[in-house]
Amino acid sequence: MALLEVNNLHKSFGGISATCDVSIRVEKGELHAIIGPNGAGKTTLISQLTGDLESDSGTVYLDGKNITRLPMHKRARLGMARSFQITSVIDNMSVIENVMLSVQAQSGHSFRFWQPVSAQQELTETSHEILVNVGLQSRSLHRTTELSHGERRQLEVAMALAMRPKLLLLDEPMAGMGSDESIKMIDFISSIKGGTGILLIEHDMDAVFKLADRISVLVEGNIIASGSPEQIRDDKQVRRAYLGDE
Amino acid sequence: MIAGLKLHGGVVVAILLLLAFAPFIIDWIDKPFYLDLVTRMVILAIAAASLNLILGYGGMISFGHAAYLGIGAYSIGIPAYYGEYDGLYQLAITIIACGSFSLLTGYVCLRTKGVYFIMITLAFAQMMFFALVSIEEYGADDGLVIDLRSELPFGFSLENSVSMYYLCFFILLFFLFIIHRLVNSRFGMVIRGSAVNDSRMQSLGFPTFRYRLLCFVIAGVMCGVAGWLLGNFTNFISPEMMDWTRSGELIFMVVLGGAGSLFGPVLGTAAFVLIEEVLSGFTIYWQLYFGLFLVAVVLFVRGGLDGLLSKFSRSDK
């Protein structure tokens, strides 16, 4: 049984198909990358998977459970975490509070009214560990608005990771990063690879071919090819549509 | 920074001490009228603090919060009209009435965002206002006179203006303490998070609607208690208590004091009531100057009076 199984997913906006008949699978512990030119429907696909957008047709199974019509928060509870292409964090809180929120979201309901969160070690310690892992521990008490662009991207991933997801959806985690930061992020993603299934959307081809176990190519809402990095590199159709003739 | 905290904390402590000893100070300077002013201020501070919980921390800009002041006041007025003066009984009615009104309206309002939320909360409050205007039995727009204040257990009498004041003061302290605990708890984290980025909170796995709704209900009930005090204090109730201008004044108090800071609404209400009092002594057009003052605060002092205090605090470190 695949961790994520997407069958014939479809979404159109006023007659224009953003995703058309998309079927993909992500196995447990596998990193599956989706590449494709701008406007190919990559972010639409991610939004359909997380429940941000409702699909017109098709089905989505997470760990054997049909989640096609579930609201966003229920999918998250079932173990689906997402990082956003455009950084989306809670800007009136500190870095560690953002991560604590992610941890809190996965530890039961939040109808707890009395105990200050700062005194709850199960939140603070776990969050601190995660910040150490992504290398943001020195920024832990800063406001998110004081972070650099790259650091905000790291926080974005840290928040997704803090949810201890079964499946991690990374929407261009390297977007807008400098080359040093990108290298750090690639190292980081390969360090968490294997523990959790990852669906990665990325423009940076070096990163994709370094990290991916499998690659699918999305062009104009259609998956035109799917296979190992070697297969994709040698696929004539893909070269023509996306990589360009070298 | 530490010196700064001292100044900021110092002002808060000074205000609390002033309020704690207000009846003695007023007695000493022999101006009994001021006790009325301070009591009214404390009651409005409770209402503003409850609004701050949803507006300041929760990002829910309710333009109908005065409805709860009115419902609270009618929850004494109507029983008193039928000769029922038991304070706890009236308080129970207040809590049930405000709780159910906020639950029902919140369930609808919280499905909207931004300006729509503002308009729909206003609409519900106006419906309540016109409903009471149209009930002849309870005085319609002339209101009702309450001939006796609520009777409380242990012989605690609200007819004594000093006892009345201290009841208000302790309820203010109690509510501020509750709000303080709430906003720092897990519940408060969800409320504060969804104020700025609701969709992110949902993608983290929080069903934010139910938390926001509960917060809306808590704020409504707290404001209802303020209304219960206000009805007792003025011995008179009328639909005017829930007029939309009163809702606007409550928003002013919160913004003036500093939305999203615990003591901001207390500072804001104190400033509001005092400035209103002083200006209206000078000119009958005081509202014009008051309006200009508010515009200046909103434009130049981000974070209201509380923000101003912490700014001074930071610059003198």
Side-chain angles (χ1 to χ4, degrees):
Chain A
M1 183 178 58
L3 177 60
L4 177 77
E5 193 181 322
V6 179
N7 301 314
N8 311 98
L9 211 57
H10 190 97
K11 177 78 194 173
S12 57
F13 298 101
I16 297 165
S17 298
T19 54
C20 187
D21 225 15
V22 172
S23 300
I24 37 171
R25 292 160 70 89
V26 180
E27 303 295 334
K28 287 195 176 88
E30 178 192 55
L31 193 149
H32 190 139
I34 295 182
I35 59 173
N38 283 323
K42 302 186 295 291
T43 296
T44 304
L45 177 62
I46 290 259
S47 300
Q48 282 176 277
L49 297 183
T50 57
D52 216 353
L53 278 177
E54 199 157 315
S55 302
D56 298 336
S57 62
T59 52
V60 183
Y61 287 85
L62 179 66
D63 221 4
K65 196 169 155 58
N66 188 343
I67 60 164
T68 315
R69 300 284 162 221
L70 287 186
M72 208 161 28
H73 64 85
K74 287 207 175 131
R75 299 184 196 210
R77 278 284 170 90
L78 287 173
M80 183 185 267
R82 169 196 192 167
S83 83
F84 287 76
Q85 182 182 7
I86 296 159
T87 309
S88 177
V89 296
I90 314 292
D91 271 330
N92 60 349
M93 292 188 185
S94 67
V95 171
I96 192 154
E97 280 176 319
N98 270 273
V99 182
M100 279 161 67
L101 266 177
S102 303
V103 179
Q104 181 184 327
Q106 295 303 311
S107 58
H109 67 79
S110 290
F111 288 106
R112 299 193 203 169
F113 307 101
W114 208 243
Q115 193 72 35
V117 283
S118 52
Q120 297 179 21
Q121 287 182 355
E122 68 272 26
L123 296 182
T124 51
E125 275 172 15
T126 319
S127 305
H128 183 73
E129 260 169 49
I130 291 162
L131 286 178
V132 170
N133 284 344
V134 297
L136 273 179
Q137 74 273 28
S138 62
R139 307 293 260 161
S140 138
L141 296 176
H142 287 253
R143 289 226 157 191
T144 57
T145 44
E146 295 166 18
L147 299 182
S148 72
H149 176 79
E151 288 171 330
R152 284 170 69 85
R153 302 299 301 161
Q154 283 171 294
L155 174 60
E156 177 82 49
V157 175
M159 286 172 76
L161 208 63
M163 294 164 66
R164 303 211 174 286
K166 289 180 194 155
L167 176 70
L168 192 55
L169 306 171
L170 298 174
D171 194 356
E172 297 195 27
M174 267 80 95
M177 276 190 167
S179 58
D180 284 359
E181 289 171 327
S182 289
I183 290 166
K184 259 199 274 176
M185 183 63 88
I186 292 171
D187 286 346
F188 178 68
I189 293 174
S190 55
S191 77
I192 58 170
K193 213 179 108 173
T196 168
I198 299 177
L199 188 69
L200 171 73
I201 287 182
E202 187 51 60
H203 268 302
D204 184 339
M205 284 306 126
D206 289 343
V208 167
F209 282 100
K210 214 175 281 175
L211 290 168
D213 301 312
R214 265 201 303 164
I215 299 177
S216 294
V217 184
L218 191 68
V219 176
E220 287 171 6
N222 293 287
I223 299 274
I224 60 164
S226 195
S228 69
E230 293 73 31
Q231 285 172 318
I232 294 297
R233 196 172 291 167
D234 298 336
D235 190 302
K236 286 209 177 71
Q237 212 186 347
V238 175
R239 297 189 84 109
R240 217 177 306 121
Y242 186 64
L243 294 174
D245 293 304
E246 282 170 46
Chain B
M1 192 64 201
I2 292 185
L5 283 176
K6 265 186 198 156
L7 175 73
H8 187 233
V11 171
V12 169
V13 170
I15 287 176
L16 286 180
L17 281 176
L18 265 179
L19 287 176
F21 294 104
F24 300 99
I25 300 167
I26 287 162
D27 193 43
W28 184 54
I29 59 172
D30 201 22
K31 293 249 171 44
F33 160 74
Y34 284 126
L35 188 58
D36 274 8
L37 188 73
V38 180
T39 310
R40 193 162 68 88
M41 195 195 93
V42 170
I43 294 172
L44 290 176
I46 298 171
S50 73
L51 178 61
N52 184 41
L53 176 62
I54 49 173
L55 189 155
Y57 292 105
M60 298 171 247
I61 306 172
S62 166
F63 203 168
H65 210 57
Y68 301 99
L69 273 180
I71 296 171
Y74 272 86
S75 303
I76 344 161
I78 294 173
Y81 177 71
Y82 295 111
E84 176 60 62
Y85 297 104
D86 183 342
L88 294 181
Y89 174 73
Q90 295 167 341
L91 199 57
I93 295 179
T94 304
I95 291 168
I96 292 166
C98 289
S100 35
F101 185 71
S102 52
L103 189 67
L104 287 175
T105 60
Y107 192 81
V108 179
C109 297
L110 287 169
R111 301 199 173 266
T112 64
K113 288 217 161 69
V115 78
Y116 301 100
F117 181 81
I118 299 176
M119 296 318 288
I120 200 165
T121 48
L122 173 65
F124 277 121
Q126 288 298 90
M127 279 161 64
M128 204 66 207
F129 173 83
F130 285 112
L132 286 164
V133 163
S134 65
I135 302 178
E136 293 288 340
E137 184 69 12
Y138 303 132
D141 52 358
D142 291 332
L144 281 176
V145 171
I146 302 171
D147 34 284
L148 281 176
R149 284 181 176 168
S150 298
E151 288 162 2
L152 291 176
F154 312 117
F156 191 87
S157 169
L158 294 182
E159 299 298 336
N160 177 324
S161 56
V162 174
S163 321
M164 177 80 219
Y165 172 76
Y166 275 115
L167 180 66
C168 299
F169 180 61
F170 282 115
I171 289 181
L172 173 65
L173 287 185
F174 179 56
F175 281 2
L176 286 177
F177 180 62
I178 289 183
I179 292 172
H180 171 69
R181 295 304 295 229
L182 274 184
V183 297
N184 289 303
S185 70
R186 288 192 178 208
F187 177 75
M189 290 286 277
V190 179
I191 295 302
R192 281 154 57 208
S194 62
V196 289
N197 200 340
D198 193 53
S199 68
R200 181 53 156 152
M201 291 297 286
Q202 288 183 35
S203 77
L204 287 179
F206 292 108
T208 55
F209 178 79
R210 58 186 80 155
Y211 295 101
R212 288 160 67 84
L213 182 60
L214 179 63
C215 187
F216 192 76
V217 171
I218 293 171
V221 169
M222 281 183 167
C223 191
V225 174
W228 178 80
L229 290 168
L230 190 65
N232 266 312
F233 170 66
T234 53
N235 288 323
F236 172 73
I237 53 167
S238 81
E240 213 209 324
M241 287 174 145
M242 55 177 92
D243 194 51
W244 67 275
T245 54
R246 175 57 64 85
S247 295
E249 282 170 14
L250 288 176
I251 296 180
F252 279 151
M253 290 170 196
V254 172
V255 173
L256 180 63
S261 93
L262 186 64
F263 280 97
V266 181
L267 295 174
T269 313
F272 190 98
V273 172
L274 291 178
I275 294 167
E276 180 185 270
E277 187 63 27
V278 171
L279 280 181
S280 60
F282 284 122
T283 161
I284 56 166
Y285 304 113
W286 63 273
Q287 278 157 325
L288 173 65
Y289 299 100
F290 197 56
L292 291 174
F293 170 71
L294 284 171
V295 170
V297 169
V298 172
L299 278 182
F300 301 115
V301 192
R302 290 202 63 184
L305 294 175
D306 194 78
L308 196 64
L309 268 181
S310 3
K311 204 165 133 194
F312 277 129
S313 309
R314 236 167 279 139
S315 60
D316 85 358
K317 68 178 162 181

